[in-house]
Amino acid sequence: MASTFVPSTCPHDCPSTCALEIERLDDFTIGKVRGARDNDYTQGVICAKVSAYRERVHHPDRLSHPLKRMGAKGDGKFARISWDEALDETVDKFKQVTAEFGAESVWPYYFAGTMGLVQRDGINRLRNVFGYSRQEMTICTLLPWTGWVAGTGAMWGTDPREMAQSDLIIVWGGNPVSTQVNVMTHIAKARKSRGAKLIVIDPYRTPTAEVADTYLAIQPGTDGALACALMHVLFAEGYADAEYLEAYTDKPTQLRQHLSAKTPAWASKLTGIPEQDIFDLARAYGQTKKAYIRVGYGFARSRNGSASLHAVSCLPAVTGAWKHKGGGALHSNSGMYSRLDQSLITASDLEDTSIREMDMSRIGAVLTNEEKDLFGGPPVKAMLIQNMNPAEVAPDTHKVLKGLARDDLFTVVHEQFMTDTAKFADLVLPATMFVEHDDMYKGGGHMYLQVARKVIEPYGECKSNHDVNCSLGQRLGSDHPGFHMSAWEMIDRTLADSGLPSADKIADNRWFDFSKSYEEANYLNGFNHPDGKFRFSPDWAAHGDRDGIMPTLPDHQDIIDAATDQHPFRLVTAPARRFLNSSFTEMPSSIAKEGRPQALIHPDVCREMGLEEGKLVRLGNKQGSVVVHIRAFDGLQKDVVVVEGIWPNKAFVEGVGINVLTSADRGAPAGGAVFHDTAVWMEAA
């Protein structure tokens, strides 16, 4: 057959959800992958790792048939079995542990290896139909979403395409050059056509910071202090919009009084940013009507991330930037899709909220039977893991591996490659990739719903998440309709139930626009609270603050894992450009670009401690230690260390990865993983 380009959608854990065009060489082979030029968000631009996706699809190490463990857990010794054997054994074990320990002893576990609504979320249908333990989704979005909604009342913001009309753009806590390249497309338009200035605020000089007009190296976890100092200057120097504040915000007078002590000098001591730089940033922001703040997911990784993001979200409310085209702010547009009815996919109508909901970020504590994490219920005795690799991605690796190694834990891992998690499984099931199944996708960084047909046939004996979940549901005896329809039928029914066009129509049209009007997106009809006002003083109790630890008004919440004499360095485990969590770590092109795990350490510290470029350093805290190679890097404060990328454990010198050091503590007020909030000691290895 002649090659042809087929429309599709990137499924990976990124707000861009890029519209793609994939070259189909034959029924089983893809070639080039490119961005859709006619999508006004993607605009033909995609990241390098996805453009090389044929390396993943046709990788020689892909799992191709079901496997049964033959050696000790973690050894990676397996024998081939049939799908019927694998599914029957899974069902028998689930029934057995349910009979002996109760349905809550089964814990389906997943996250965002795919963002497709059918293939990702269908595992919840198993959970809700059979009464298995629920999962609290804490590992990525909970902290920042809580902070954003606390102020605005809704999870949306200024149209990202409006950045092209901005005169000042602040990228705060994000690195879109590496993690969301489409943001840079729209920033580049503003810089070229309007001379817009780009300011980046981040703990280290990322590739995005490298191309900025101004870069501010902030101490991890002190963003709230910087935001407060900026607002202090905005009020003190007359940049606050009194008319807007009176009409659209809850406590402007109290806020101004509260901020009187939050001076740039105060913030400088906390953030490490020079006082004059804080004044300069505040004045630049205050003097620019069309000022746009793009809030990144760095806020999702700190104990005080919710409070810090809320403080940042207050800035456009102080200046009234929301009123101006090209002004305002955006963290995520995920709240735009509330019209979409996913109840068929997840069987949400059958969810029993009395069943325990265990924190996915604390999987190590759950699997090692810490009582408070089990909520008085039975130990977890069986798991189905899809779209997730907790042995490398979850915090507190030592505890996670200890839990996965339990002989009395039956684990089924549905995967594309033999990950560290899969090596601890009793059964490993081969999974399709997005080009091999149907699905639909929401965009957090834009506002399109996309429906994508499969491009090629599945590799080997690979089955999709949907097909596996349906097979298990049928074998377990359920007559729920979601277990008895194809993925395409489920997409079509879900769209019909939501009052939307058919699957065929949206797929043929490439996407369906969920955009809000300019007035709605910028909250000019009022914020999404009963009185229509932005909350400088949120009702944190409504967002899970049972202990009253959240600040009444925007502030620096001093609950981070601060540096001490014993742990004088602050560690940030930032994303790598060519990886996405633990995905893409098997691709030759990604490995070639990333090289190996490295600790980015300030050159002055290297000299003071006798650390040499390319040699080894040991980073440690009470949880353990990790050995990595040294890279001298002057783009951070002296007491900050950065290790980029979630490399496989085996990529590290001692065979254990960076998340040995990250804590499974819950961020405030309602939980959330704290990967960038880690104090460590450091010594030559």
Side-chain angles (χ1 to χ4, degrees), residues 285-345:
Y285 184 73
Q287 291 167 8
T288 308
K289 299 300 184 186
K290 296 185 175 187
Y292 192 114
I293 303 178
R294 189 64 173 89
V295 186
Y297 278 88
F299 293 90
R301 316 290 188 248
S302 182
R303 287 167 176 80
N304 63 5
S306 292
S308 294
L309 192 145
H310 171 254
V312 171
S313 75
C314 294
L315 285 161
V318 170
T319 64
W322 291 108
K323 298 188 304 184
H324 306 285
K325 278 271 187 182
L330 175 66
H331 175 60
S332 170
N333 273 328
S334 56
M336 286 188 174
Y337 302 89
S338 57
R339 176 181 172 189
L340 197 62
D341 181 357
Q342 292 184 236
S343 58
L344 176 65
I345 297 172

Side-chain angles (χ1 to χ4, degrees), residues 104 149 196 282 292 306 367 413 447 516 572 616 619 627 633 640:
E104 286 188 339
V149 173
Y292 192 114
S306 292
L367 295 185
V413 173
M447 43 307 201
K516 291 186 175 295
V572 173
L616 297 174
L619 309 174
V627 174
F633 181 73
V640 175

Side-chain angles (χ1 to χ4, degrees), residues 170 172 201 222-241 245 249-267 277-286 293 307-320 322 534-538 551-556:
I170 301 176
W172 198 327
I201 302 167
T222 64
D223 306 85
L226 177 58
C228 287
L230 296 176
M231 288 187 282
H232 169 97
V233 177
L234 294 173
F235 276 111
E237 299 192 359
Y239 299 115
D241 185 330
L245 285 163
T249 70
D250 64 342
K251 296 181 179 180
T253 302
Q254 294 92 321
L255 176 66
R256 180 170 190 160
Q257 293 169 346
H258 166 71
L259 293 172
S260 62
K262 310 299 181 182
T263 64
W266 164 81
D277 289 351
I278 298 175
F279 274 109
D280 291 345
L281 174 58
R283 290 163 182 162
Y285 184 73
I293 303 178
S308 294
L309 192 145
H310 171 254
V312 171
S313 75
C314 294
L315 285 161
V318 170
T319 64
W322 291 108
F534 181 89
R535 293 286 187 264
F536 289 132
S537 182
T552 303
L553 288 162
D555 212 335
H556 168 63

Side-chain angles (χ1 to χ4, degrees), residues 103-157:
E104 286 188 339
S105 65
V106 180
W107 194 27
Y109 188 88
Y110 77 108
F111 199 58
T114 175
M115 296 288 278
L117 303 185
V118 171
Q119 306 293 348
R120 180 191 65 190
D121 298 334
I123 193 172
N124 287 309
R125 193 164 63 254
L126 282 172
R127 187 192 316 276
N128 292 330
V129 167
F130 296 104
Y132 299 147
S133 281
R134 299 186 298 146
Q135 176 180 306
E136 189 180 12
M137 305 292 280
T138 59
I139 206 162
C140 182
T141 58
L142 184 58
L143 279 162
W145 287 12
T146 299
W148 181 272
V149 173
T152 64
M155 186 45 67
W156 61 70

Side-chain angles (χ1 to χ4, degrees), residues 629-660:
H629 288 85
I630 297 164
R631 177 186 162 200
F633 181 73
D634 64 0
L636 36 63
Q637 296 189 29
K638 287 181 63 175
D639 60 349
V640 175
V641 178
V642 173
V643 178
E644 291 183 322
I646 302 178
W647 289 82
N649 290 325
K650 65 183 180 182
F652 287 79
V653 174
E654 296 183 334
V656 62
I658 196 64
N659 279 320
V660 161

